[in-house]
Amino acid sequence: MRYAVVMVLLLVFLAFIYFVFYRRRDSAERQQVPTSNVISMDRFRSNKSKPGEQPCSSCKKKNGKLIFYAQDNGTIVGLCKDCRGKAKKRDMLPL
């Protein structure tokens, strides 16, 4: 009778140990599989060449820095410092 109880307890203990290690292994395998569709942009940023100067949307001069504005119809324009007055006259919103 004592041997039967010891054997049952031993089987329960072994089953407990098996399930603990099985779940740990299963959770470790889940962590290796990416669950997100987000892609790291580090590789693309390093390959990107130095951007050239962009032309102004109004006067088409190439300037180093443009100020971007939203027009009434929802389009975006990039204007140089010289054309900033045109944006203020049309009440464009700076972005």
Side-chain angles (χ1 to χ4, degrees):
M1 179 82 171
R2 289 184 188 174
Y3 294 114
V5 172
V6 170
M7 291 298 284
V8 170
L9 289 176
L10 184 62
L11 286 174
V12 170
F13 178 73
L14 291 175
F16 175 76
I17 296 295
Y18 173 76
F19 284 115
V20 167
F21 285 115
Y22 178 76
R23 291 198 186 265
R24 184 177 293 165
R25 185 186 71 192
D26 189 32
S27 66
E29 289 175 0
R30 286 183 191 162
Q31 290 175 355
Q32 293 174 354
V33 177
T35 59
S36 177
N37 291 334
V38 177
I39 299 171
S40 175
M41 295 299 293
D42 293 334
R43 181 176 54 176
F44 297 104
R45 286 187 187 123
S46 64
N47 292 338
K48 186 171 66 171
S49 63
K50 186 176 179 182
E53 294 180 342
Q54 295 178 339
C56 174
S57 297
S58 178
C59 65
K60 305 299 181 199
K61 292 180 186 176
K62 289 194 176 187
N63 293 305
K65 186 173 182 182
L66 298 178
I67 303 166
F68 292 93
Y69 293 93
Q71 292 182 345
D72 294 332
N73 60 0
T75 58
I76 306 297
V77 293
L79 300 177
C80 62
K81 290 182 181 179
D82 298 333
C83 298
R84 188 183 302 175
K86 293 179 185 178
K88 288 184 180 179
K89 286 181 186 176
R90 294 181 57 195
D91 291 328
M92 291 183 179
L93 297 174
L95 299 178

Coordinates of all heavy atoms in Angstrom, one line a residue:
M1 N 0.8 -1.2 0.0 CA 0.0 0.0 0.0 C 0.9 1.3 0.0 O 0.6 2.2 -0.7 CB -0.9 0.0 1.2 CG -1.8 1.1 1.4 SD -3.2 0.9 0.3 CE -4.2 2.2 0.8
R2 N 1.9 1.3 0.8 CA 2.8 2.4 0.9 C 3.5 2.6 -0.5 O 3.7 3.7 -0.9 CB 3.9 2.2 2.0 CG 3.3 2.4 3.3 CD 4.4 2.2 4.3 NE 3.8 2.2 5.7 CZ 4.5 2.0 6.7 NH1 5.8 1.8 6.6 NH2 4.0 2.0 7.9
Y3 N 3.9 1.5 -1.1 CA 4.6 1.6 -2.4 C 3.7 2.2 -3.4 O 4.1 2.9 -4.3 CB 5.1 0.2 -2.8 CG 6.2 -0.3 -1.9 CD1 6.0 -1.4 -1.1 CD2 7.4 0.3 -1.8 CE1 7.0 -1.9 -0.2 CE2 8.4 -0.1 -0.9 CZ 8.2 -1.2 -0.2 OH 9.2 -1.7 0.7
A4 N 2.4 1.8 -3.4 CA 1.5 2.4 -4.4 C 1.3 3.9 -4.2 O 1.3 4.6 -5.2 CB 0.1 1.7 -4.2
V5 N 1.2 4.3 -3.0 CA 1.1 5.8 -2.7 C 2.4 6.5 -3.2 O 2.3 7.6 -3.8 CB 0.8 6.0 -1.2 CG1 0.9 7.5 -0.9 CG2 -0.5 5.4 -0.8
V6 N 3.5 5.9 -2.9 CA 4.8 6.5 -3.3 C 4.9 6.6 -4.8 O 5.3 7.6 -5.4 CB 6.0 5.8 -2.6 CG1 7.3 6.2 -3.2 CG2 6.0 5.9 -1.1
M7 N 4.5 5.5 -5.5 CA 4.5 5.5 -6.9 C 3.6 6.6 -7.5 O 3.9 7.2 -8.5 CB 4.2 4.1 -7.4 CG 5.2 3.1 -7.1 SD 6.8 3.5 -7.9 CE 6.4 3.0 -9.6
V8 N 2.4 6.7 -7.0 CA 1.4 7.7 -7.5 C 2.0 9.1 -7.3 O 1.9 9.9 -8.1 CB 0.0 7.5 -6.8 CG1 -0.9 8.7 -7.1 CG2 -0.6 6.2 -7.2
L9 N 2.5 9.4 -6.1 CA 3.1 10.7 -5.8 C 4.3 11.0 -6.7 O 4.5 12.1 -7.2 CB 3.5 10.8 -4.4 CG 2.4 10.9 -3.3 CD1 3.0 10.9 -1.9 CD2 1.6 12.1 -3.6
L10 N 5.1 9.9 -7.0 CA 6.2 10.1 -7.9 C 5.8 10.4 -9.3 O 6.3 11.2 -10.0 CB 7.1 8.8 -7.9 CG 8.4 8.9 -8.7 CD1 9.3 10.0 -8.2 CD2 9.1 7.5 -8.7
L11 N 4.7 9.7 -9.8 CA 4.2 10.0 -11.1 C 3.6 11.4 -11.2 O 3.8 12.1 -12.2 CB 3.1 8.9 -11.5 CG 3.6 7.5 -11.8 CD1 2.5 6.6 -12.0 CD2 4.5 7.6 -13.1
V12 N 2.9 11.8 -10.2 CA 2.3 13.2 -10.2 C 3.5 14.2 -10.2 O 3.4 15.2 -10.9 CB 1.4 13.4 -8.9 CG1 1.0 14.8 -8.8 CG2 0.2 12.5 -9.0
F13 N 4.5 14.0 -9.4 CA 5.7 14.9 -9.4 C 6.3 14.9 -10.8 O 6.7 16.0 -11.3 CB 6.6 14.4 -8.3 CG 7.9 15.3 -8.2 CD1 7.8 16.6 -7.7 CD2 9.1 14.8 -8.7 CE1 8.9 17.4 -7.7 CE2 10.2 15.6 -8.7 CZ 10.1 16.9 -8.1
L14 N 6.5 13.8 -11.4 CA 7.2 13.7 -12.7 C 6.3 14.4 -13.8 O 6.8 15.1 -14.6 CB 7.5 12.3 -13.1 CG 8.6 11.6 -12.3 CD1 8.7 10.2 -12.7 CD2 9.9 12.4 -12.5
A15 N 5.0 14.2 -13.7 CA 4.1 14.9 -14.6 C 4.2 16.4 -14.4 O 4.2 17.2 -15.4 CB 2.7 14.4 -14.4
F16 N 4.2 16.9 -13.2 CA 4.3 18.3 -12.9 C 5.6 18.9 -13.5 O 5.6 19.9 -14.1 CB 4.3 18.5 -11.4 CG 4.5 19.9 -11.0 CD1 3.5 20.9 -11.1 CD2 5.7 20.3 -10.5 CE1 3.7 22.2 -10.8 CE2 5.9 21.7 -10.1 CZ 4.9 22.6 -10.2
I17 N 6.7 18.2 -13.3 CA 8.0 18.6 -13.8 C 8.0 18.7 -15.3 O 8.5 19.6 -16.0 CB 9.2 17.7 -13.3 CG1 9.3 17.8 -11.8 CG2 10.5 18.1 -14.0 CD1 9.7 19.1 -11.3
Y18 N 7.4 17.7 -16.0 CA 7.3 17.6 -17.4 C 6.5 18.8 -17.9 O 7.0 19.5 -18.9 CB 6.6 16.3 -17.8 CG 6.4 16.3 -19.3 CD1 7.4 16.0 -20.2 CD2 5.1 16.5 -19.8 CE1 7.2 16.0 -21.6 CE2 4.8 16.4 -21.2 CZ 5.9 16.2 -22.0 OH 5.6 16.1 -23.4
F19 N 5.4 19.1 -17.4 CA 4.6 20.2 -17.8 C 5.2 21.6 -17.6 O 5.1 22.5 -18.4 CB 3.2 20.2 -17.2 CG 2.3 19.2 -17.8 CD1 1.8 18.1 -17.0 CD2 1.9 19.2 -19.1 CE1 1.0 17.2 -17.6 CE2 1.1 18.3 -19.7 CZ 0.6 17.2 -18.9
V20 N 5.9 21.8 -16.5 CA 6.7 23.0 -16.3 C 7.7 23.2 -17.3 O 7.8 24.3 -17.9 CB 7.3 23.0 -14.8 CG1 8.2 24.2 -14.7 CG2 6.2 23.1 -13.8
F21 N 8.5 22.2 -17.6 CA 9.6 22.4 -18.6 C 9.0 22.5 -20.0 O 9.5 23.2 -20.9 CB 10.6 21.2 -18.5 CG 11.5 21.4 -17.3 CD1 11.5 20.4 -16.3 CD2 12.4 22.4 -17.3 CE1 12.4 20.6 -15.2 CE2 13.3 22.6 -16.2 CZ 13.2 21.6 -15.2
Y22 N 7.9 21.8 -20.3 CA 7.3 21.8 -21.6 C 6.8 23.2 -21.9 O 7.0 23.8 -22.9 CB 6.2 20.8 -21.7 CG 5.4 20.8 -23.0 CD1 6.0 20.3 -24.2 CD2 4.2 21.5 -23.1 CE1 5.3 20.3 -25.4 CE2 3.5 21.5 -24.3 CZ 4.1 20.9 -25.4 OH 3.4 21.0 -26.6
R23 N 6.1 23.9 -20.9 CA 5.6 25.2 -21.1 C 6.7 26.2 -21.2 O 6.6 27.2 -22.0 CB 4.7 25.6 -19.9 CG 3.4 24.8 -19.9 CD 2.4 25.5 -19.0 NE 1.2 24.7 -18.9 CZ 0.1 24.9 -19.7 NH1 0.1 25.8 -20.6 NH2 -0.9 24.1 -19.5
R24 N 7.8 26.0 -20.5 CA 8.9 27.0 -20.6 C 9.6 26.9 -22.0 O 9.9 27.9 -22.6 CB 10.0 26.6 -19.5 CG 11.1 27.6 -19.5 CD 12.1 27.3 -18.4 NE 11.5 27.6 -17.2 CZ 12.0 27.2 -16.0 NH1 13.1 26.5 -16.0 NH2 11.4 27.5 -14.9
R25 N 9.7 25.7 -22.5 CA 10.3 25.5 -23.8 C 9.3 26.1 -24.9 O 9.7 26.7 -25.8 CB 10.5 24.0 -24.1 CG 11.2 23.8 -25.4 CD 11.4 22.3 -25.7 NE 10.0 21.8 -26.0 CZ 9.7 20.6 -26.1 NH1 10.6 19.6 -25.9 NH2 8.5 20.2 -26.4
D26 N 8.0 25.9 -24.7 CA 7.0 26.4 -25.6 C 7.0 27.9 -25.6 O 7.0 28.5 -26.7 CB 5.7 25.8 -25.3 CG 4.6 26.1 -26.3 OD1 5.0 26.2 -27.5 OD2 3.5 26.3 -26.0
S27 N 7.1 28.5 -24.5 CA 7.1 30.0 -24.4 C 8.4 30.5 -25.0 O 8.4 31.6 -25.6 CB 6.9 30.5 -23.0 OG 8.0 30.1 -22.2
A28 N 9.5 29.8 -24.9 CA 10.8 30.3 -25.5 C 10.7 30.2 -27.0 O 11.2 31.1 -27.7 CB 11.9 29.4 -25.0
E29 N 10.0 29.2 -27.5 CA 9.9 29.1 -29.0 C 9.0 30.2 -29.5 O 9.2 30.7 -30.6 CB 9.3 27.8 -29.4 CG 10.3 26.6 -29.2 CD 9.7 25.3 -29.4 OE1 8.5 25.2 -29.8 OE2 10.4 24.3 -29.3
R30 N 8.0 30.6 -28.7 CA 7.1 31.7 -29.2 C 7.8 33.0 -29.2 O 7.4 33.8 -30.0 CB 5.9 31.8 -28.2 CG 4.9 30.7 -28.4 CD 3.7 30.9 -27.5 NE 2.9 29.7 -27.4 CZ 2.0 29.4 -26.5 NH1 1.8 30.3 -25.5 NH2 1.3 28.3 -26.5
Q31 N 8.7 33.2 -28.3 CA 9.4 34.5 -28.3 C 10.3 34.7 -29.5 O 10.6 35.8 -29.9 CB 10.3 34.6 -27.0 CG 9.4 34.8 -25.8 CD 10.3 34.8 -24.5 OE1 11.5 34.6 -24.6 NE2 9.6 35.0 -23.4
Q32 N 10.8 33.6 -30.1 CA 11.7 33.7 -31.3 C 10.9 34.0 -32.6 O 11.4 34.6 -33.5 CB 12.4 32.4 -31.5 CG 13.4 32.0 -30.4 CD 14.0 30.7 -30.5 OE1 13.6 29.9 -31.4 NE2 14.9 30.3 -29.7
V33 N 9.6 33.7 -32.6 CA 8.8 34.0 -33.8 C 8.3 35.5 -33.7 O 7.7 35.9 -32.7 CB 7.6 33.1 -33.9 CG1 6.7 33.4 -35.0 CG2 8.0 31.7 -33.9
P34 N 8.6 36.3 -34.7 CA 8.1 37.7 -34.6 C 6.6 37.8 -34.7 O 6.0 37.2 -35.5 CB 8.8 38.4 -35.8 CG 9.1 37.3 -36.7 CD 9.4 36.0 -35.9
T35 N 6.0 38.5 -33.8 CA 4.6 38.6 -33.7 C 4.1 40.0 -34.3 O 2.9 40.2 -34.3 CB 4.1 38.5 -32.3 OG1 4.7 39.5 -31.5 CG2 4.4 37.2 -31.7
S36 N 5.0 40.8 -34.8 CA 4.7 42.1 -35.3 C 5.0 42.3 -36.7 O 6.0 41.6 -37.2 CB 5.4 43.2 -34.4 OG 5.1 44.4 -34.9
N37 N 4.3 43.1 -37.4 CA 4.6 43.4 -38.8 C 5.5 44.6 -39.0 O 5.7 45.1 -40.1 CB 3.3 43.6 -39.6 CG 2.6 42.3 -39.7 OD1 3.2 41.2 -39.7 ND2 1.3 42.3 -39.9
V38 N 6.0 45.2 -37.9 CA 6.8 46.4 -37.9 C 8.2 46.0 -38.4 O 8.8 45.1 -37.9 CB 6.9 47.0 -36.5 CG1 7.8 48.2 -36.5 CG2 5.5 47.4 -36.0
I39 N 8.7 46.8 -39.4 CA 10.0 46.5 -39.9 C 11.0 47.6 -39.4 O 10.6 48.8 -39.5 CB 9.9 46.6 -41.5 CG1 9.0 45.5 -42.0 CG2 11.3 46.4 -42.1 CD1 8.7 45.5 -43.4
S40 N 12.1 47.2 -39.0 CA 13.1 48.2 -38.6 C 13.6 49.0 -39.8 O 14.0 48.4 -40.8 CB 14.3 47.5 -37.9 OG 15.3 48.4 -37.6
M41 N 13.7 50.3 -39.7 CA 14.1 51.1 -40.8 C 15.6 51.5 -40.7 O 16.1 52.2 -41.6 CB 13.3 52.4 -40.8 CG 11.9 52.3 -41.0 SD 11.5 51.5 -42.6 CE 12.0 52.8 -43.7
D42 N 16.4 50.9 -39.8 CA 17.8 51.2 -39.7 C 18.5 50.8 -41.0 O 19.4 51.5 -41.4 CB 18.4 50.4 -38.5 CG 17.9 51.0 -37.2 OD1 17.5 52.1 -37.2 OD2 17.9 50.2 -36.2
R43 N 18.2 49.7 -41.6 CA 18.9 49.3 -42.8 C 18.6 50.2 -43.9 O 19.5 50.5 -44.7 CB 18.4 47.8 -43.1 CG 19.1 47.3 -44.4 CD 18.7 45.9 -44.6 NE 17.2 45.8 -44.7 CZ 16.5 44.7 -45.0 NH1 17.1 43.6 -45.2 NH2 15.2 44.8 -45.0
F44 N 17.4 50.7 -44.0 CA 17.0 51.6 -45.1 C 17.6 53.0 -44.9 O 18.0 53.7 -45.8 CB 15.5 51.7 -45.2 CG 14.9 50.4 -45.6 CD1 14.2 49.7 -44.7 CD2 15.0 49.9 -46.9 CE1 13.6 48.5 -45.0 CE2 14.4 48.7 -47.2 CZ 13.7 48.0 -46.3
R45 N 17.7 53.4 -43.7 CA 18.3 54.7 -43.4 C 19.8 54.8 -43.7 O 20.3 55.7 -44.2 CB 18.1 55.1 -41.9 CG 16.7 55.5 -41.6 CD 16.6 56.0 -40.2 NE 15.2 56.2 -39.9 CZ 14.6 55.7 -38.9 NH1 15.2 54.9 -38.0 NH2 13.3 55.9 -38.6
S46 N 20.5 53.7 -43.4 CA 21.9 53.6 -43.7 C 22.2 53.6 -45.2 O 23.2 54.1 -45.7 CB 22.6 52.4 -43.0 OG 22.1 51.2 -43.5
N47 N 21.3 53.0 -46.0 CA 21.5 52.9 -47.5 C 21.1 54.2 -48.2 O 21.4 54.4 -49.3 CB 20.7 51.7 -48.0 CG 21.3 50.4 -47.6 OD1 22.5 50.3 -47.2 ND2 20.5 49.4 -47.6
K48 N 20.3 55.0 -47.5 CA 19.8 56.2 -48.2 C 20.9 57.2 -48.5 O 21.7 57.5 -47.6 CB 18.7 56.9 -47.3 CG 18.0 58.0 -47.9 CD 16.9 58.5 -47.1 CE 17.3 59.1 -45.8 NZ 16.3 59.7 -45.0
S49 N 21.0 57.7 -49.7 CA 22.0 58.6 -50.0 C 21.6 60.0 -49.5 O 20.5 60.3 -49.1 CB 22.2 58.7 -51.5 OG 21.0 59.1 -52.1
K50 N 22.6 60.9 -49.4 CA 22.3 62.3 -49.0 C 21.3 62.9 -49.9 O 21.5 63.0 -51.1 CB 23.6 63.1 -48.9 CG 23.4 64.4 -48.3 CD 24.8 65.1 -48.2 CE 24.6 66.5 -47.6 NZ 25.8 67.2 -47.5
P51 N 20.2 63.4 -49.3 CA 19.2 64.0 -50.2 C 19.7 65.3 -50.8 O 20.4 66.1 -50.2 CB 18.0 64.2 -49.3 CG 18.6 64.3 -47.9 CD 19.8 63.4 -47.9
G52 N 19.3 65.5 -52.1 CA 19.7 66.8 -52.7 C 18.7 67.9 -52.3 O 17.8 67.7 -51.5
E53 N 19.0 69.1 -52.8 CA 18.2 70.2 -52.4 C 16.9 70.1 -53.2 O 16.8 69.7 -54.4 CB 18.9 71.5 -52.7 CG 20.1 71.7 -51.9 CD 20.8 73.0 -52.2 OE1 20.5 73.6 -53.3 OE2 21.5 73.5 -51.4
Q54 N 15.8 70.3 -52.5 CA 14.4 70.2 -53.1 C 14.1 71.6 -53.7 O 14.4 72.6 -53.2 CB 13.4 69.8 -52.1 CG 13.6 68.5 -51.5 CD 12.6 68.1 -50.4 OE1 11.9 69.0 -49.9 NE2 12.4 66.9 -50.2
P55 N 13.4 71.5 -54.9 CA 12.9 72.8 -55.4 C 11.7 73.3 -54.7 O 10.9 72.6 -54.2 CB 12.6 72.4 -56.9 CG 12.2 71.0 -56.8 CD 13.1 70.4 -55.7
C56 N 11.6 74.6 -54.7 CA 10.4 75.3 -54.1 C 9.2 75.0 -55.0 O 9.3 75.0 -56.2 CB 10.7 76.8 -54.0 SG 9.3 77.8 -53.5
S57 N 8.1 74.9 -54.4 CA 6.9 74.6 -55.2 C 6.4 75.8 -56.0 O 5.7 75.6 -57.0 CB 5.7 74.1 -54.3 OG 6.1 72.9 -53.6
S58 N 6.8 76.9 -55.6 CA 6.3 78.1 -56.2 C 7.3 78.7 -57.3 O 7.0 78.8 -58.4 CB 6.0 79.2 -55.2 OG 5.6 80.4 -55.8
C59 N 8.5 79.0 -56.9 CA 9.5 79.6 -57.8 C 10.4 78.5 -58.4 O 11.2 78.9 -59.3 CB 10.3 80.6 -57.0 SG 11.3 80.0 -55.7
K60 N 10.4 77.3 -58.0 CA 11.2 76.2 -58.5 C 12.7 76.3 -58.3 O 13.5 75.7 -58.9 CB 10.9 76.0 -60.0 CG 9.5 75.8 -60.4 CD 8.9 74.5 -59.7 CE 7.5 74.4 -60.1 NZ 6.7 73.5 -59.3
K61 N 13.1 77.3 -57.4 CA 14.5 77.4 -57.1 C 14.9 76.3 -56.1 O 14.1 75.9 -55.2 CB 14.8 78.7 -56.4 CG 14.7 79.9 -57.4 CD 15.0 81.2 -56.6 CE 14.8 82.4 -57.5 NZ 15.0 83.6 -56.7
K62 N 16.1 75.7 -56.2 CA 16.5 74.7 -55.3 C 17.1 75.3 -54.1 O 18.1 76.1 -54.2 CB 17.5 73.8 -56.0 CG 16.9 72.9 -57.0 CD 17.9 71.8 -57.4 CE 17.2 70.9 -58.4 NZ 18.0 69.7 -58.7
N63 N 16.5 75.0 -52.9 CA 16.9 75.6 -51.7 C 17.2 74.5 -50.7 O 16.6 73.4 -50.8 CB 15.8 76.5 -51.1 CG 15.6 77.7 -51.9 OD1 16.6 78.5 -52.2 ND2 14.4 78.0 -52.4
G64 N 18.1 74.7 -49.8 CA 18.5 73.7 -48.8 C 17.3 73.4 -47.8 O 17.1 72.2 -47.5
K65 N 16.6 74.4 -47.4 CA 15.5 74.2 -46.4 C 14.2 74.8 -46.9 O 14.2 76.0 -47.3 CB 15.9 74.8 -45.1 CG 15.0 74.5 -44.0 CD 15.5 75.0 -42.7 CE 14.6 74.6 -41.5 NZ 15.1 75.1 -40.3
L66 N 13.2 74.0 -46.9 CA 11.9 74.4 -47.3 C 11.0 74.4 -46.1 O 11.2 73.6 -45.2 CB 11.3 73.5 -48.4 CG 12.0 73.5 -49.7 CD1 11.3 72.5 -50.7 CD2 12.1 74.8 -50.4
I67 N 10.0 75.3 -46.1 CA 9.0 75.3 -45.1 C 7.7 74.7 -45.8 O 7.3 75.2 -46.8 CB 8.7 76.7 -44.6 CG1 10.0 77.3 -44.0 CG2 7.7 76.7 -43.5 CD1 10.0 78.8 -43.8
F68 N 7.1 73.7 -45.2 CA 6.0 73.1 -45.8 C 4.7 73.6 -45.2 O 4.5 73.9 -44.0 CB 6.0 71.6 -45.5 CG 7.2 70.9 -46.2 CD1 8.4 70.8 -45.6 CD2 7.0 70.5 -47.6 CE1 9.5 70.2 -46.3 CE2 8.1 69.9 -48.2 CZ 9.3 69.8 -47.6
Y69 N 3.7 73.8 -46.1 CA 2.4 74.4 -45.8 C 1.3 73.5 -46.4 O 1.5 72.9 -47.4 CB 2.3 75.8 -46.4 CG 3.2 76.9 -45.8 CD1 4.4 77.1 -46.4 CD2 2.8 77.6 -44.7 CE1 5.3 78.1 -45.8 CE2 3.7 78.5 -44.1 CZ 4.9 78.8 -44.7 OH 5.7 79.7 -44.1
A70 N 0.1 73.6 -45.7 CA -1.0 72.9 -46.2 C -1.9 73.9 -46.9 O -2.3 74.9 -46.4 CB -1.8 72.2 -45.1
Q71 N -2.3 73.5 -48.2 CA -3.2 74.4 -48.9 C -4.7 74.1 -48.5 O -4.9 73.1 -47.8 CB -3.0 74.2 -50.4 CG -1.7 74.7 -50.9 CD -1.6 74.5 -52.4 OE1 -2.4 73.7 -53.1 NE2 -0.6 75.1 -53.0
D72 N -5.6 74.9 -49.0 CA -7.0 74.7 -48.7 C -7.5 73.4 -49.2 O -8.4 72.8 -48.6 CB -7.8 75.9 -49.3 CG -7.5 77.2 -48.6 OD1 -7.0 77.2 -47.5 OD2 -7.6 78.3 -49.3
N73 N -7.0 72.9 -50.3 CA -7.5 71.7 -50.9 C -6.9 70.4 -50.2 O -7.2 69.3 -50.6 CB -7.4 71.6 -52.4 CG -6.0 71.8 -52.8 OD1 -5.0 71.8 -52.0 ND2 -5.8 71.8 -54.1
G74 N -5.9 70.6 -49.3 CA -5.3 69.5 -48.6 C -4.0 69.1 -49.1 O -3.3 68.2 -48.6
T75 N -3.5 69.7 -50.2 CA -2.2 69.3 -50.7 C -1.1 70.1 -49.9 O -1.3 71.1 -49.3 CB -2.1 69.7 -52.2 OG1 -2.3 71.1 -52.4 CG2 -3.0 69.0 -53.1
I76 N 0.1 69.5 -50.0 CA 1.2 70.1 -49.3 C 2.2 70.7 -50.3 O 2.5 70.2 -51.3 CB 2.0 68.9 -48.5 CG1 1.0 68.1 -47.6 CG2 3.1 69.5 -47.7 CD1 0.4 69.0 -46.5
V77 N 2.6 71.9 -49.9 CA 3.6 72.6 -50.8 C 4.8 73.0 -49.9 O 4.7 73.3 -48.7 CB 3.0 73.9 -51.4 CG1 2.0 73.5 -52.4 CG2 2.5 74.8 -50.4
G78 N 6.0 72.9 -50.5 CA 7.2 73.3 -49.8 C 7.7 74.6 -50.4 O 7.9 74.7 -51.6
L79 N 7.8 75.6 -49.6 CA 8.1 77.0 -50.0 C 9.4 77.4 -49.4 O 9.7 77.1 -48.2 CB 7.0 78.0 -49.7 CG 5.6 77.7 -50.3 CD1 4.6 78.7 -49.8 CD2 5.7 77.6 -51.8
C80 N 10.2 78.2 -50.2 CA 11.4 78.7 -49.7 C 11.1 80.0 -48.8 O 10.0 80.4 -48.7 CB 12.4 79.1 -50.8 SG 11.8 80.3 -52.0
K81 N 12.2 80.6 -48.3 CA 12.0 81.7 -47.4 C 11.5 82.9 -48.2 O 10.8 83.8 -47.7 CB 13.3 82.1 -46.7 CG 13.7 81.1 -45.7 CD 15.0 81.5 -45.0 CE 15.3 80.5 -43.9 NZ 16.6 80.8 -43.2
D82 N 11.9 83.0 -49.5 CA 11.5 84.1 -50.3 C 10.0 84.0 -50.6 O 9.3 85.1 -50.8 CB 12.2 84.1 -51.7 CG 13.7 84.3 -51.4 OD1 14.1 84.9 -50.4 OD2 14.5 83.8 -52.3
C83 N 9.4 82.8 -50.7 CA 8.0 82.7 -51.1 C 7.1 82.6 -49.8 O 5.9 82.3 -49.9 CB 7.8 81.4 -51.9 SG 8.7 81.5 -53.5
R84 N 7.7 82.7 -48.7 CA 6.9 82.7 -47.4 C 5.8 83.7 -47.4 O 4.7 83.4 -46.9 CB 7.8 82.8 -46.2 CG 7.1 82.6 -44.9 CD 8.0 82.8 -43.7 NE 9.2 82.0 -43.8 CZ 10.2 82.2 -42.9 NH1 10.1 83.0 -41.9 NH2 11.3 81.4 -43.0
G85 N 6.0 84.8 -48.0 CA 4.9 85.9 -48.0 C 3.7 85.4 -48.8 O 2.6 85.8 -48.4
K86 N 3.9 84.6 -49.9 CA 2.7 84.1 -50.6 C 1.9 83.2 -49.7 O 0.6 83.2 -49.8 CB 3.2 83.3 -51.8 CG 3.9 84.2 -52.9 CD 4.4 83.3 -54.0 CE 5.1 84.1 -55.0 NZ 5.6 83.3 -56.1
A87 N 2.5 82.4 -48.9 CA 1.8 81.5 -48.0 C 1.0 82.3 -47.0 O -0.1 82.0 -46.6 CB 2.7 80.6 -47.3
K88 N 1.6 83.4 -46.4 CA 0.9 84.2 -45.5 C -0.3 85.0 -46.1 O -1.3 85.1 -45.4 CB 1.9 85.2 -44.8 CG 2.9 84.6 -43.9 CD 3.7 85.6 -43.2 CE 4.7 84.8 -42.3 NZ 5.6 85.8 -41.6
K89 N -0.2 85.4 -47.3 CA -1.3 86.1 -48.0 C -2.4 85.1 -48.2 O -3.6 85.5 -48.1 CB -0.8 86.6 -49.3 CG 0.1 87.8 -49.3 CD 0.5 88.3 -50.6 CE 1.5 89.4 -50.6 NZ 1.9 89.9 -51.9
R90 N -2.1 83.8 -48.5 CA -3.2 82.9 -48.7 C -3.7 82.2 -47.5 O -4.5 81.3 -47.5 CB -2.7 81.8 -49.7 CG -2.5 82.4 -51.1 CD -2.0 81.4 -52.1 NE -3.0 80.3 -52.3 CZ -2.8 79.2 -52.8 NH1 -1.6 79.0 -53.4 NH2 -3.7 78.3 -52.9
D91 N -3.1 82.6 -46.3 CA -3.5 82.0 -45.0 C -3.3 80.5 -45.0 O -4.1 79.7 -44.5 CB -4.9 82.3 -44.6 CG -5.1 83.8 -44.3 OD1 -4.1 84.4 -43.8 OD2 -6.2 84.3 -44.6
M92 N -2.2 80.0 -45.5 CA -1.8 78.6 -45.4 C -1.3 78.3 -44.0 O -0.7 79.1 -43.4 CB -0.7 78.3 -46.5 CG -1.1 78.4 -47.9 SD 0.3 77.8 -48.9 CE -0.4 78.0 -50.5
L93 N -1.6 77.0 -43.7 CA -1.2 76.6 -42.3 C 0.2 75.9 -42.4 O 0.4 75.0 -43.2 CB -2.2 75.6 -41.8 CG -3.6 76.1 -41.5 CD1 -4.5 75.0 -41.1 CD2 -3.6 77.2 -40.5
P94 N 1.2 76.4 -41.6 CA 2.5 75.7 -41.7 C 2.4 74.3 -41.0 O 1.7 74.1 -40.0 CB 3.4 76.7 -40.9 CG 2.5 77.4 -40.1 CD 1.2 77.5 -40.8
L95 N 3.2 73.4 -41.5 CA 3.2 72.1 -40.9 C 4.5 71.9 -40.1 O 5.5 72.4 -40.3 CB 3.2 71.0 -42.0 CG 2.0 71.0 -42.9 CD1 2.1 69.9 -43.9 CD2 0.7 70.7 -42.0

